[in-house]
Amino acid sequence: MGAVAGRPFSFYAIGVSYRKADAEMRGAFSLSPAATDKVLKQARSEGIPSLAVISTCNRTELYGFAQHPFQLIKLLCEHSHGTVEEFEKIAYVYKNDKANDHLFQVGTGLDSQILGDFEIIGQLKLAFKKSKKYQLINPYMERLINAVIQASKRIKTETDLSSGATSVSFASVQYILENFRPGTHQNILLFGTGKIGRNTCENLIKHTENKKITLINRTKDKAERVAGKFDLVVKDYAELEEQIAQSDILIVATGAQNPTISKDLIHTSRPLLILDLSIPKNVHEDVLQLDNVSLVHLDELSNITNRTLQNRENFIPQAQHIISTIQADFKKWQESRSFAPTMHALKTKLATIKEAEIKSNRTKIENFDQQQADLIADKIIQKIAGHFANHLRDEEVNTDEAINLLNRVFKLEDLAS
């Protein structure tokens, strides 16, 4: 679906998240880095002026300008395994101010599955950076993401919304702490050393004091880099089955599009806890056919409630106040940007009328004072322009309609272009 002739562009946020979509459905709509590139390329070819794409374990969202939200929905469904029918049941579409509000909530961790998760702002930065390479970020979206980044920084430094460790990686460690006696040392196998795997590794060492951690990654040198930082053991991918058999806890964070662990890889009768931190799920449900295996997915991990997470809720009003302040500044910029050309054209038009009237009356009025006439006329022009500007800022006024009326009444089209 390309451009719709005559229809104006609006800013939209469309997507699916943990709020209405379970892990399986989020997996269906997830976008790999390669799929994200395809979305951006197609967006450019279809005339979408600005677009950013984010796909994490908890959400897949498109932020961009379109003439109809279906232009963005179509892009998402064409490059993921989700359908339009499924999207309509579980997704959300926000427009203009509501889309802005949503991006602020997401970027500051207030819409995260684990409240105060600040990893999301880094993912948003990368998403916008990638879009910029495709020349798909217009001044509006660039200013907006910078405002969101500013809000995130202020909330992080001025509130305790991020107190304690955050994110899915911390939730997995919290689960282990709550389900195993303090001081016991389990053999932990971490399969996958991407971002979630690295963060999990760091949290395991920091909070469990457990050094019996083994790392496996399909690309061994990545695992070795992580292991070197923490002085841990690395094993070859070929030894995965053998290492699972020796483990008490298996943490899977491989980020693959299909399950990487199934019951065929498990050859042990000892109790085995598997924590799947991946979207889509990287552990096949068939592992539950084994009596000795317990499987916990990140959706369950995210439901962990503890004093730290509950305490963060006390700082939501403070965070919302910071967001409101920064949003107000953004709105002022947005308003001035939307009608600045019209106001400039109006002042130019009024100045032209002033000059014509002064020229016409200069010789007709005895002792005509040019300086005084200019001074008074300029003040009148400023007051007229000020009244129009205030009218355009009124929330109950349709700015586009008001600007069109001004253009018609004063014939400003040529001057504003």
Side-chain angles (χ1 to χ4, degrees):
M1 180 176 177
V4 182
R7 182 177 285 178
F9 283 90
S10 297
F11 179 59
Y12 291 98
I14 67 107
V16 300
S17 79
Y18 70 94
R19 291 193 179 275
K20 288 181 71 175
D22 60 21
E24 185 177 353
M25 194 55 67
R26 296 201 305 277
F29 282 97
S30 67
L31 294 168
S32 66
T36 299
D37 284 328
K38 289 177 182 177
V39 168
L40 296 173
K41 286 176 184 176
Q42 188 172 331
R44 280 206 69 183
S45 69
E46 293 184 356
I48 290 174
S50 190
L51 180 70
V53 180
I54 182 168
S55 189
T56 73
C57 59
N58 286 330
R59 69 183 66 246
T60 297
E61 295 180 335
L62 275 63
Y63 299 94
F65 277 83
Q67 291 166 304
H68 192 282
F70 187 70
Q71 292 172 283
L72 305 184
I73 296 166
K74 173 176 165 285
L75 281 171
L76 173 58
C77 293
E78 282 187 1
H79 296 283
S80 70
H81 297 293
T83 66
V84 173
E85 292 74 23
E86 289 168 334
F87 182 91
E88 288 173 347
K89 291 176 185 174
I90 58 165
Y92 40 85
V93 175
Y94 299 113
K95 182 179 179 181
N96 293 335
D97 287 348
K98 288 185 178 178
N100 289 349
D101 293 341
H102 180 69
L103 183 55
F104 270 97
Q105 296 296 308
V106 170
T108 55
L110 291 176
D111 194 60
S112 295
Q113 193 164 15
I114 298 176
L115 179 65
D117 179 0
F118 278 94
E119 287 183 14
I120 187 69
I121 193 64
Q123 293 160 333
L124 279 169
K125 285 179 185 176
L126 290 174
F128 275 72
K129 188 176 181 181
K130 175 176 271 197
S131 293
K132 208 164 183 182
K133 287 182 181 177
Y134 284 91
Q135 297 180 319
L136 268 174
I137 296 295
N138 64 9
Y140 178 97
M141 282 182 60
E142 184 157 23
R143 181 90 177 205
L144 179 60
I145 189 60
N146 286 334
V148 173
I149 292 168
Q150 183 188 359
S152 176
K153 284 179 181 175
R154 283 191 56 188
I155 290 170
K156 199 167 187 177
T157 56
E158 296 175 27
T159 79
D160 284 333
L161 189 72
S162 61
S163 60
T166 60
S167 80
V168 169
S169 59
F170 174 64
S172 62
V173 176
Q174 192 77 0
Y175 185 90
I176 292 169
L177 290 170
E178 290 178 4
N179 288 276
F180 290 88
R181 293 192 314 277
T184 59
H185 291 279
Q186 296 78 34
N187 291 325
I188 300 175
L189 174 61
L190 177 61
F191 180 33
T193 53
K195 186 171 184 180
I196 290 176
R198 291 196 306 272
N199 290 344
T200 302
C201 196
E202 189 168 348
N203 280 316
L204 281 169
I205 291 164
K206 187 186 298 182
H207 299 289
T208 69
E209 299 178 356
N210 193 338
K211 293 286 186 180
K212 297 169 76 173
I213 302 170
T214 302
L215 307 185
I216 292 181
N217 196 65
R218 287 181 185 272
T219 310
K220 190 176 181 181
D221 63 337
K222 288 184 179 178
E224 286 173 341
R225 284 198 293 273
V226 176
K229 183 179 177 183
F230 301 111
D231 193 25
L232 303 175
V233 175
V234 175
K235 295 292 184 179
D236 289 323
Y237 176 63
E239 298 177 71
L240 181 60
E241 289 184 43
E242 179 187 335
Q243 292 302 315
I244 291 174
Q246 298 174 27
S247 300
D248 301 301
I249 301 170
L250 168 61
I251 301 174
V252 182
T254 49
Q257 293 298 304
N258 298 298
T260 54
I261 298 293
S262 65
K263 72 173 186 177
D264 297 335
L265 293 174
I266 301 172
H267 306 289
T268 178
S269 58
R270 66 195 291 170
L272 176 65
L273 169 64
I274 303 178
L275 303 179
D276 185 359
L277 309 188
S278 310
I279 289 288
K281 291 180 178 180
N282 280 190
V283 179
H284 201 288
E285 295 286 340
D286 68 5
V287 300
L288 292 174
Q289 295 171 18
L290 302 172
D291 293 336
N292 60 311
V293 172
S294 302
L295 172 62
V296 179
H297 191 258
L298 65 83
D299 278 355
E300 297 167 69
L301 293 174
S302 299
N303 290 329
I304 292 170
T305 56
N306 57 56
R307 286 190 300 275
T308 302
L309 290 175
Q310 289 172 348
N311 183 54
R312 290 185 193 143
E313 293 181 3
N314 298 328
F315 300 99
I316 291 176
Q318 196 179 346
Q320 294 287 23
H321 177 70
I322 290 170
I323 290 171
S324 296
T325 302
I326 292 171
Q327 274 188 307
D329 290 340
F330 177 77
K331 196 169 181 65
K332 283 180 184 176
W333 171 83
Q334 182 185 348
E335 288 168 345
S336 64
R337 182 172 173 266
S338 67
F339 57 75
T342 300
M343 295 311 302
H344 177 74
L346 176 62
K347 288 179 182 178
T348 302
K349 183 74 172 186
L350 293 174
T352 302
I353 294 170
K354 177 199 88 169
E355 293 297 336
E357 286 301 307
I358 287 177
K359 184 178 180 181
S360 168
N361 289 283
R362 188 183 296 125
T363 56
K364 298 177 185 176
I365 300 172
E366 192 175 347
N367 299 322
F368 182 80
D369 190 324
Q370 173 83 39
Q371 191 174 0
Q372 266 193 341
D374 280 333
L375 185 64
I376 293 169
D378 287 341
K379 284 185 178 180
I380 292 171
I381 288 172
Q382 283 299 116
K383 287 191 175 181
I384 292 171
H387 279 290
F388 277 119
N390 289 333
H391 177 73
L392 291 171
R393 289 191 186 101
D394 191 324
E395 289 182 3
E396 296 180 5
V397 170
N398 184 314
T399 305
D400 289 337
E401 287 182 5
I403 287 173
N404 287 336
L405 180 62
L406 273 176
N407 286 336
R408 289 199 304 273
V409 171
F410 289 97
K411 297 182 171 55
L412 303 177
E413 287 86 350
D414 295 336
L415 292 170
S417 61

